[in-house]
Amino acid sequence: FSERTLEGRVGATRRIQENITNVEKHFGDMCQLFAAYVRKTARLRDKADLLVREIGMYADTETPNLKRGMKQYADHLAKIQDYRQAEVERLEAKVIEPLKSYGAVVKRKREDLKATQSARDREAKQMAQLERTRQRNPSDRQIIAESELQRATMDATRTTKQLEETIDEFEKQKIQDIKKVFSEFATVEMSFHAKALEVYTLAYQSIQSVDEEADLEVFRSSLHPPDYHSRLDIVRANSKTSLDRTGSFLSTSGTLQVRRYRQV
C-alpha cells in the first residue's frame, strides 16, 4: 500500500513540476515578446515625432493654404503620438509587469516542490531501510524502522497535500491572470486605435480642405512680383504714346502731301 501511495505521489509531483516548468517557459517567452512589441511601438512613436517636425518645417516654406493644412495635419499627427505614448506606458504597467512578476511566483513554487521532493525522498529512504531490516529479521530494529517510516510517510503526505493545495491555487490564479493580462492588452490597443482613428479623420479632413486654386494664384503672383507689373504697365503706356505720335505724324505728312499735289 505504501509503495502504491508513494508512486501516486511521485506521479502527482512530476505533473506539478511539468506544469511549473511550462508556465515558466511560456510566460517568460510571452513577456519578452510583449516587451519587444512595446519597444517597437515606442520606436514608431519616435519616428512619427521626427515626421511631425519635418512636416512643420516644410510647411513653413509653402503657400498660405497649404501651409495651414500641413500645420494642422502635423498637429493631429503629434496628438496621435501622445496617445501612442500613453499606449506604451499602459502596456508596460498592465501587461509586461504582471508577466514579469511570474518569475518570483514560479521560484516560490519550485521551493515548495523541492520541499515536497525532499519529504518524498526521506520516505523512500525509510521504506528501503525497513525492507533491509525485515530481511535481517531483528524485531526491535524492525519496529524502529516501521516507526521511522510512518513518520516519514506522514511528513511526505502532509507536504504533498500542501503542495497540491498551493499548486491548485497557483493554477487558478494563473488562469485569472492570463485572462486579465490578455484583456488589458486588447483594451489598451482598442483605446489607442479608437482615439487614433478619430484624429486621423481630422488629419485627413485638414489636408483635404486646402484651397488649391487660391494657392495657385499666390504661386503665380510670386512669379510676377508687383514691381514687374508696374514696369510692364509703363512699357505698355510708352508703347501706346509712341504709336499715337507715329499715327499723328503719318496723318500730318499725308495732309501736307495732298496740299502740295493740289498746288501743283
Side-chain angles (χ1 to χ4, degrees):
F1 176 77
S2 296
E3 290 180 358
R4 290 198 300 271
T5 302
L6 179 59
E7 289 175 359
R9 285 199 294 268
V10 169
T13 303
R14 185 183 301 113
R15 287 191 294 273
I16 290 170
Q17 184 174 14
E18 290 172 354
N19 180 278
I20 293 173
T21 300
N22 190 58
V23 170
E24 183 178 37
K25 177 188 183 305
H26 290 292
F27 269 63
D29 291 345
M30 286 192 299
C31 185
Q32 289 181 0
L33 290 171
F34 273 123
Y37 180 96
V38 173
R39 287 194 299 272
K40 288 283 187 181
T41 303
R43 283 198 289 270
L44 179 60
R45 173 208 59 205
D46 294 341
K47 292 297 183 182
D49 286 340
L50 294 176
L51 179 60
V52 167
R53 186 171 65 180
E54 175 58 29
I55 292 173
M57 292 170 60
Y58 174 45
D60 289 333
T61 68
E62 274 295 346
T63 47
N65 283 283
L66 184 56
K67 176 181 178 179
R68 182 171 58 254
M70 291 179 70
K71 288 284 188 180
Q72 291 174 349
Y73 188 92
D75 289 342
H76 292 314
L77 197 58
K79 189 173 184 180
I80 291 169
Q81 305 325 305
D82 293 338
Y83 292 148
R84 205 183 299 277
Q85 174 62 25
E87 174 195 13
V88 167
E89 293 174 356
R90 291 179 67 191
L91 288 175
E92 288 176 342
K94 295 180 177 293
V95 176
I96 296 175
E97 286 303 319
L99 289 174
K100 284 172 62 177
S101 70
Y102 261 78
V105 173
V106 168
K107 184 179 179 180
R108 289 195 299 270
K109 299 311 169 188
R110 286 201 179 280
E111 290 173 354
D112 294 339
L113 181 62
K114 185 177 179 180
T116 301
Q117 288 175 327
S118 296
R120 190 194 67 202
D121 291 342
R122 287 194 299 271
E123 180 187 19
K125 182 180 178 180
Q126 290 298 328
M127 187 176 294
Q129 185 175 345
L130 175 60
E131 185 62 27
R132 289 194 300 271
T133 303
R134 283 174 177 170
Q135 291 175 359
R136 294 170 188 167
N137 208 17
S139 58
D140 292 341
R141 289 184 179 180
Q142 182 175 340
I143 293 172
I144 294 173
E146 288 176 350
S147 177
E148 292 293 333
L149 174 59
Q150 186 178 9
R151 284 197 295 270
T153 300
M154 291 175 61
D155 185 41
T157 302
R158 178 180 56 80
T159 56
T160 299
K161 184 177 179 181
Q162 289 175 346
L163 177 63
E164 289 176 353
E165 289 174 353
T166 188
I167 208 67
D168 186 81
E169 184 61 30
F170 170 74
E171 186 70 14
K172 178 181 178 181
Q173 190 64 47
K174 179 198 72 177
I175 295 171
Q176 292 175 348
D177 288 342
I178 289 175
K179 290 174 63 178
K180 183 177 181 181
V181 166
F182 282 24
S183 297
E184 290 287 0
F185 177 80
T187 300
V188 170
E189 291 299 288
M190 285 191 295
S191 176
F192 165 74
H193 287 291
K195 292 177 180 178
L197 180 60
E198 293 178 3
V199 183
Y200 274 126
T201 301
L202 296 175
Y204 177 86
Q205 293 171 348
S206 67
I207 202 66
Q208 285 295 315
S209 66
V210 172
D211 190 333
E212 299 172 26
E213 291 301 323
D215 273 7
L216 281 172
E217 287 299 321
V218 172
F219 175 73
R220 290 163 183 163
S221 297
S222 70
L223 299 178
H224 305 292
D227 58 339
Y228 170 84
H229 291 289
S230 298
R231 289 196 302 271
L232 185 61
D233 291 341
I234 292 171
V235 170
R236 287 172 177 169
N238 290 338
S239 298
K240 186 176 184 300
T241 302
S242 298
L243 289 172
D244 289 344
R245 288 175 180 174
T246 302
S248 177
F249 173 76
L250 291 174
S251 177
T252 303
S253 300
T255 302
L256 290 174
Q257 288 177 0
V258 169
R259 286 177 182 174
R260 287 174 184 171
Y261 176 77
R262 286 176 180 175
Q263 289 176 357
V264 174

